[in-house]
Amino acid sequence: MADSSSTTVGVAKTEKIWLDGKFIPWDQAQIHVMTLGLHYGVGAFEGIRAYDCGGGKSAVFRLREHVERLYQSAKIMLLDIPYPAEDLARACVEILKINKMPQGYIRPLAFMGDGAMGLGAINPVRVAIMAWVWGSYLGDEGMKKGIRAKVSSFTRMHVNSNMVRGKITGQYVNSVLAKREAKLAGYDEAIFLDQQGWVAEATGENLFLVRGGVVYTPPPASPILEGITRGTILRLLKDHGLEVREQAFTRDTLYIADEVFLCGTAAEVTPVREVDNRQVGSGEPGRVAKLVQQAFFKAARGGDERYQEWLTYY
Ligand code: PMP
């Protein structure tokens, strides 16, 4: 079935990709089919955004935190990244400069390369850094009007089967299954419940809801990625004097919430207007979602003095 979602639109080539320490032309960034990461999902990755701040200035958003998480994900997978973190952080900025991108999405990827084969194989770790221009991950209209979500028939990972603190390539099969199911059923995004039935997160986003003036998001003890955008939003909400509780809630709480919104590096802040065919609140992005969206973009584009520490200008 055709998929017209903006999340699957082909990526426009940029000039260069950083592979194993060197900038090389896009078309030459190829790997061997014996690459172990390709067979077994042994890899760790990141998604980072850079924003045009105007006046000829651009900034990478929360670069340090993303690079740190990449190394943590690699550590969880016993992958030894053969470069110091400062080198990769620098390459993440350079890839934008070299490709003349005032804004864009950066994808660092560390994976086990080729050599031996088998689940216990230990091959050299290879690292690639790519960048491309990516618009609103859940669509411009979704960003403005809210998206339609479906609670998935797939369950979020068990904490002892998958490593929920890591952004590990193989683990995304769970997300792909849920996303494809939701899209085939005519929805924009899937929401996972955990093994106990509590709401966890979406396929590539964390989730917030608003009920009775209080903002709720699943606690770090649930099987969610501890999103960097989630952390950003917790801070923005507190700085705006809103009450936030990191607390478990049930799927039917989504149905009766005043607001639901998703957040992530790719999806930024995307309101949810419908869950399982129940309209959320008024069916339009609510006051808190709009406030968070606005505060988020202002911070990311360098417009708020309080959050300059989040920005790496280039
Ligand atoms: N959950 C999952 C499963 C994700 O893949 C992502 C995207 N990295 C997020 C949440 C949001 O994380 P972040 O805000 O750090 O991008």
Side-chain angles (χ1 to χ4, degrees):
M1 196 180 286
D3 185 341
S4 60
S5 149
S6 66
T7 63
T8 51
V9 163
V11 165
K13 276 187 203 176
T14 51
E15 207 179 312
K16 294 275 168 66
I17 283 176
W18 188 96
L19 182 61
D20 300 326
K22 285 196 215 80
F23 289 101
I24 58 170
W26 174 284
D27 287 331
Q28 287 174 23
Q30 299 191 1
I31 56 160
H32 199 275
V33 290
M34 287 295 279
T35 297
L36 199 118
L38 188 61
H39 295 241
Y40 305 130
V42 186
F45 69 108
E46 272 304 318
I48 313 172
R49 270 196 195 264
Y51 291 89
D52 191 337
C53 302
K57 283 200 299 184
S58 293
V60 180
F61 191 62
R62 308 206 70 172
L63 175 62
R64 190 165 19 94
E65 291 85 347
H66 282 284
V67 171
E68 196 178 330
R69 190 172 63 187
L70 179 70
Y71 281 78
Q72 289 174 353
S73 301
K75 180 178 183 186
I76 290 169
M77 280 307 291
L78 296 169
L79 287 170
D80 217 350
I81 296 179
Y83 305 97
E86 310 82 70
D87 288 11
L88 289 198
R90 201 172 319 113
C92 285
V93 180
E94 285 298 314
I95 191 89
L96 297 169
K97 292 210 264 189
I98 226 165
N99 287 312
K100 301 181 188 62
M101 295 169 65
Q103 62 188 45
Y105 181 89
I106 314 163
R107 166 62 56 80
L109 170 67
F111 58 97
M112 194 178 280
D114 56 331
M117 188 44 79
L119 296 173
I122 305 170
N123 297 335
V125 174
R126 305 187 60 186
V127 182
I129 302 176
M130 300 140 264
W132 61 84
V133 174
W134 226 2
S136 305
Y137 178 70
L138 293 164
D140 289 338
E141 184 165 313
M143 191 69 123
K144 278 193 215 105
K145 297 191 175 154
I147 58 151
R148 297 179 61 242
K150 171 191 190 301
V151 170
S152 186
S153 76
F154 296 98
T155 301
R156 201 49 169 161
M157 313 174 287
H158 185 277
V159 290
N160 208 27
S161 299
N162 291 87
M163 302 291 103
V164 300
R165 286 295 98 94
K167 200 165 163 59
I168 292 159
T169 57
Q171 296 188 164
Y172 276 78
V173 167
N174 184 231
S175 283
V176 169
L177 287 169
K179 183 83 180 185
R180 295 290 306 268
E181 176 188 61
K183 298 285 293 176
L184 287 168
Y187 298 86
D188 303 305
E189 184 55 294
I191 296 172
F192 283 116
L193 308 180
D194 68 17
Q195 304 232 330
Q196 278 71 45
W198 303 109
V199 173
E201 62 180 341
T203 60
E205 304 91 25
N206 290 113
L207 182 145
F208 285 80
L209 72 76
V210 185
R211 191 170 177 228
V214 179
V215 186
Y216 297 87
T217 197
S222 64
I224 58 168
L225 189 72
E226 261 182 328
I228 291 164
T229 320
R230 176 185 181 278
T232 300
I233 287 173
L234 287 174
R235 168 85 188 275
L236 294 174
L237 289 166
K238 281 176 193 150
D239 289 355
H240 279 84
L242 282 142
E243 188 183 343
V244 192
R245 293 188 200 151
E246 294 179 70
Q247 187 178 301
F249 47 86
T250 51
R251 80 186 273 174
D252 57 359
T253 315
L254 297 168
Y255 302 161
I256 56 170
D258 302 319
E259 298 186 38
V260 175
F261 56 93
L262 305 178
C263 72
T265 299
E268 297 162 315
V269 181
T270 303
V272 178
R273 69 170 200 273
E274 207 182 290
V275 179
D276 290 347
N277 306 312
R278 278 89 167 168
Q279 178 178 296
V280 174
S282 66
E284 288 179 5
R287 187 182 69 85
V288 178
K290 284 201 283 202
L291 180 146
V292 169
Q293 249 183 0
Q294 225 173 15
F296 173 80
F297 285 117
K298 189 170 176 190
R301 295 195 175 113
D304 196 323
E305 280 310 311
R306 289 175 289 182
Y307 311 119
Q308 291 298 318
E309 62 178 22
W310 289 342
L311 307 179
T312 302
Y313 286 99
Y314 66 97

